[in-house]
Amino acid sequence: MEEKQIRINKYISQCGYCSRREADRLIDEGKVFVNGIPIQMGAKVSSTDEIMIDGVLLNHQEPEILIALHKPKGIVCTTSKKDSDNVIDYLDFPYRIYPVGRLDKDSTGLLLLTNNGQLMDDILRGSNFHEKEYIVQVNKPVTDSILRAMEQGVPILDTMTRPCQIRKIGKDRFHIILTQGLNRQIRRMCEYFGYRVITLKRIRIMNIHLDDLPMGQWRYLTPKEIETLKKLAEHKGD
């Protein structure tokens, strides 16, 4: 039987090396070789092909890693070694892993990291409307009318934010549940109404909760959490 062929970026992602987008970047930079030849964007490969990335043979046997980190303030959600505060150096994990999305440098809370590139893509795909929940504190008392207006959608970054869920928990604090991940979205939403965010903490991504995980510590996701996460993140199609 002939080996099934799939697009190179998807193959790299399924091997747990990186996301499809990152794979596209590596291909574009000429760092991906298949059977000794630089591969072109969109080409297809199978498991019988020898794939080298940055001069290293792609490893199919690396165990799947899924961890939850309580990110402290000051840590940057990047894999770039150019930033001395990058989350990869902070964790010093023995396997290659990547942050699933990001929390800005001044924010804290739940960050998922994995070597499962396909799962990363599925979680981040905006069309899947996956929930992320935050606790926000702003610089002055917030009114119910402002929060209701914020729930309906805010014009930022040349678009209108999706309707979201907000619950007031103090004179200057509220819970917010988003289903999209625009750049510095919550901070920009608050700024639109004249508020400045003092603290921003993510407490949930889909079915994964921060709970009492101490600041700066991480844990492996449980098999049950992983099973549910994959079902929620499942995406059909190429």
Side-chain angles (χ1 to χ4, degrees):
M1 183 185 292
E2 207 172 288
E3 284 282 338
K4 180 183 177 183
Q5 291 195 321
I6 62 175
R7 289 183 183 276
I8 180 64
N9 62 351
K10 184 176 182 180
Y11 187 84
I12 292 172
S13 171
Q14 288 182 345
C15 287
Y17 187 88
C18 62
S19 69
R20 289 196 209 183
R21 181 177 296 179
E22 177 69 7
D24 284 340
R25 184 185 67 78
L26 292 168
I27 294 165
D28 190 53
E29 292 176 357
K31 295 181 178 179
V32 181
F33 287 71
V34 176
N35 302 323
I37 301 170
I39 197 163
Q40 301 299 310
M41 199 79 73
K44 293 188 175 183
V45 297
S46 73
S47 60
T48 60
D49 291 307
E50 182 183 83
I51 299 168
M52 302 279 288
I53 303 176
D54 257 348
V56 179
L57 185 65
L58 185 61
N59 183 358
H60 305 261
Q61 305 304 316
E62 203 168 271
E64 181 181 61
I65 304 294
L66 275 162
I67 69 172
L69 167 70
H70 188 161
K71 187 190 91 67
K73 184 176 181 179
I75 298 301
V76 183
C77 297
T78 179
T79 58
S80 173
K81 299 290 187 175
K82 294 177 182 177
D83 196 317
S84 60
D85 296 320
N86 73 82
V87 67
I88 302 305
D89 282 348
Y90 175 79
L91 282 170
D92 193 25
F93 203 76
Y95 292 101
R96 180 194 298 267
I97 54 175
Y98 296 86
V100 181
R102 62 179 57 216
L103 276 174
D104 64 58
K105 188 172 184 176
D106 293 328
S107 298
T108 66
L110 179 62
L111 180 68
L112 300 181
L113 297 102
T114 185
N115 61 354
N116 184 332
Q118 183 63 58
L119 180 61
M120 184 191 313
D121 286 335
D122 290 343
I123 292 173
L124 295 177
R125 187 173 286 108
S127 60
N128 286 346
F129 284 76
H130 295 138
E131 290 187 351
K132 291 171 287 185
E133 185 174 355
Y134 305 79
I135 296 176
V136 185
Q137 181 182 17
V138 290
N139 63 324
K140 55 186 177 181
V142 66
T143 65
D144 291 336
S145 61
I146 291 291
L147 294 181
R148 298 295 79 79
M150 197 180 292
E151 274 188 323
Q152 299 309 307
V154 180
I156 61 171
L157 299 173
D158 299 320
T159 189
M160 183 70 74
T161 61
R162 288 176 186 163
C164 61
Q165 302 175 50
I166 299 179
R167 176 169 57 88
K168 189 175 180 179
I169 56 174
K171 66 176 184 178
D172 59 356
R173 299 171 75 238
F174 59 91
H175 275 265
I176 181 169
I177 299 175
L178 301 180
T179 58
Q180 65 187 141
L182 301 177
N183 183 35
R184 297 175 66 85
Q185 180 171 342
I186 294 174
R187 294 180 187 275
R188 294 179 191 274
M189 290 169 70
C190 290
E191 287 168 3
Y192 179 83
F193 292 102
Y195 290 87
R196 178 170 51 84
V197 170
I198 301 300
T199 62
L200 177 58
K201 180 180 182 180
R202 184 158 63 197
I203 59 173
R204 178 171 67 87
I205 298 173
M206 298 164 67
N207 65 305
I208 310 301
H209 295 258
L210 182 64
D211 291 332
D212 57 356
L213 183 65
M215 177 85 74
Q217 300 297 306
W218 63 270
R219 67 172 179 84
Y220 288 106
L221 300 193
T222 67
K224 181 63 177 175
E225 284 177 322
I226 293 172
E227 179 186 2
T228 302
L229 183 66
K230 288 183 174 180
K231 285 180 180 178
L232 291 172
E234 191 174 35
H235 175 75
K236 303 297 184 184
D238 193 34

